[in-house]
Amino acid sequence: IGRSFIDFVHARDRNTFASQITNGLAAPKNDNGSQSQALAIRVFGDHVSTMVCRIRRYKGLNVGFGIKDRVAMFMPFLLKFFFKNMNEGEGQGIYLVIQATPFFSAFHTSNEVIQNPIPFVLRHSPNGKLDYVDPESVPYLGYLPQDIVGTDALQLYHPSDLIYLRQVYETIVKEGGVQRSKPYRMLAQHGDYLKLETEWTSFTNPWSRKLEFVIGKHFIIEGPANPDVFQTPETDKSSKVSKEEEAKAQALRENMIRIMNEVLTKPAEAAKQQMSKRCQDLASFMESLLDEVPKPDEELRLEIQDADHSYYERDSVMLGGISPHHDYNDSNTSTETPLS
């Protein structure tokens, strides 16, 4: 009590945490530039931000006086936070309310077979960079979304599975997706691999006819050898792969990126047909709309009580009229304005 909450947030997560807070504070302003508190509260109350964040664990007192020497331990949490208006003794105050739910590893034993896995989604662009990481992935993979967004998704795949995954990516590019892959391996945060199956879909830009992103809906079927995915990775694990094997794996990754950036076949044609159908629908709609446009001498009129202003008022509501404030002698301009 009395300590700053940010002191307990891991240094790597503080920027993400701060940006979520400032997003919540971007409330509408009054004409004089000051924030409308009543409006701000209403906006805050409806808007709940969520993020994954590491929070420092309490350093226990049961080890004598060596508290400062112990390594700080952090635990991942899903934070839901919103701003709330609370009555105080001297008027009202805005408070940040945080609901923190801890994440635990989804695995309890080594190489645990998962019966009913909760699927999670990862999305990456044609250059392999991850641009969306589902928070549901955290207990399975151990990564926090902000740690791996912007990194190479292909680096998560086991080098021995890249030949099979290249075939999968070829199918994604040609057919637009894969219903369900064979089991393959993905790297968890602590350095071990787990087995999963994936349903793949993709999105093709209908104008450029290029692949925009690949979406994988992943189902974990077998856990890693070490069930604690949040454990700090061992530094010497990555050095076991020989330079020759790593070069071969990198060549396969580059090949997969080339495949994703080629001009597409079936999905591109489907997107093209869809776009041309939309254009045809729009054209026929516009034709029917233009058929219904009244002629200039049949312009819309309002029932006007005041006879003195009827010419001015009639002109102001004429179809296509730009402004109700033009001069009497400028009445012909509104009929010349094309329907937009």
Side-chain angles (χ1 to χ4, degrees), residues 74-134:
F74 288 85
M75 192 170 169
F77 283 83
L78 179 70
L79 301 189
K80 289 184 180 178
F81 44 89
F82 57 93
F83 291 89
K84 195 169 182 181
N85 199 9
M86 291 190 182
N87 292 319
E88 291 183 301
E90 300 175 4
Q92 295 180 326
I94 298 176
Y95 284 83
L96 173 64
V97 181
I98 301 175
Q99 178 190 335
T101 310
F103 276 112
F104 298 101
S105 176
F107 312 107
H108 305 288
T109 57
S110 179
N111 302 112
E112 183 180 346
V113 176
I114 306 298
Q115 298 297 338
N116 297 306
I118 297 169
F120 58 86
V121 172
L122 302 180
R123 187 181 73 197
H124 67 76
S125 59
N127 61 5
K129 296 284 183 281
L130 283 161
D131 61 7
Y132 174 75
V133 177
D134 193 339

Side-chain angles (χ1 to χ4, degrees), residues 106-270:
F107 312 107
H108 305 288
T109 57
S110 179
N111 302 112
E112 183 180 346
V113 176
I114 306 298
Q115 298 297 338
N116 297 306
I118 297 169
F120 58 86
V121 172
L122 302 180
R123 187 181 73 197
H124 67 76
S125 59
N127 61 5
K129 296 284 183 281
L130 283 161
D131 61 7
Y132 174 75
V133 177
D134 193 339
E136 293 280 8
S137 69
V138 175
Y140 290 105
L141 297 177
Y143 302 105
L144 270 60
Q146 58 264 33
D147 288 347
I148 57 168
V149 164
T151 62
D152 187 357
L154 308 186
Q155 293 284 350
L156 298 175
Y157 304 147
H158 194 287
S160 304
D161 295 331
L162 288 171
I163 292 172
Y164 165 65
L165 287 166
R166 181 177 62 182
Q167 294 171 357
V168 169
Y169 273 75
E170 280 174 353
T171 309
I172 293 166
V173 166
K174 286 175 184 169
E175 302 294 330
V178 173
Q179 284 191 332
R180 188 80 170 234
S181 71
K182 291 181 196 170
Y184 67 99
R185 287 161 290 182
M186 186 177 273
L187 183 67
Q189 184 273 151
H190 64 341
D192 281 359
Y193 286 89
L194 34 81
K195 274 188 191 168
L196 69 164
E197 293 174 354
T198 302
E199 293 172 3
W200 301 94
T201 53
S202 64
F203 175 73
T204 305
N205 185 319
W207 283 274
S208 66
R209 286 191 267 165
K210 293 283 180 97
L211 187 74
E212 287 278 310
F213 47 78
V214 173
I215 304 161
K217 188 178 180 183
H218 303 288
F219 299 81
I220 304 293
I221 57 170
E222 188 183 299
N226 175 3
D228 183 7
V229 292
F230 296 118
Q231 193 174 309
T232 307
E234 294 173 30
T235 49
D236 61 340
K237 272 197 175 182
S238 57
S239 59
K240 289 178 182 175
V241 182
S242 69
K243 283 186 178 179
E244 190 182 327
E245 285 174 336
E246 180 50 43
K248 189 179 171 185
Q250 190 54 34
L252 282 164
R253 290 187 199 106
E254 287 168 6
N255 190 231
M256 286 159 78
I257 287 169
R258 267 199 304 277
I259 289 165
M260 282 188 280
N261 285 285
E262 285 176 0
V263 176
L264 307 179
T265 52
K266 197 172 173 181
E269 283 306 309

Side-chain angles (χ1 to χ4, degrees), residues 3 7-10 54-60 67 70-77 102-104 228 230:
R3 294 275 299 276
D7 288 349
F8 296 89
V9 175
H10 195 287
R54 284 161 287 220
I55 298 176
R56 186 156 56 81
R57 297 182 73 163
Y58 175 61
K59 299 178 186 177
I67 298 171
R70 293 187 67 198
V71 176
M73 297 289 287
F74 288 85
M75 192 170 169
F77 283 83
F103 276 112
F104 298 101
D228 183 7
F230 296 118

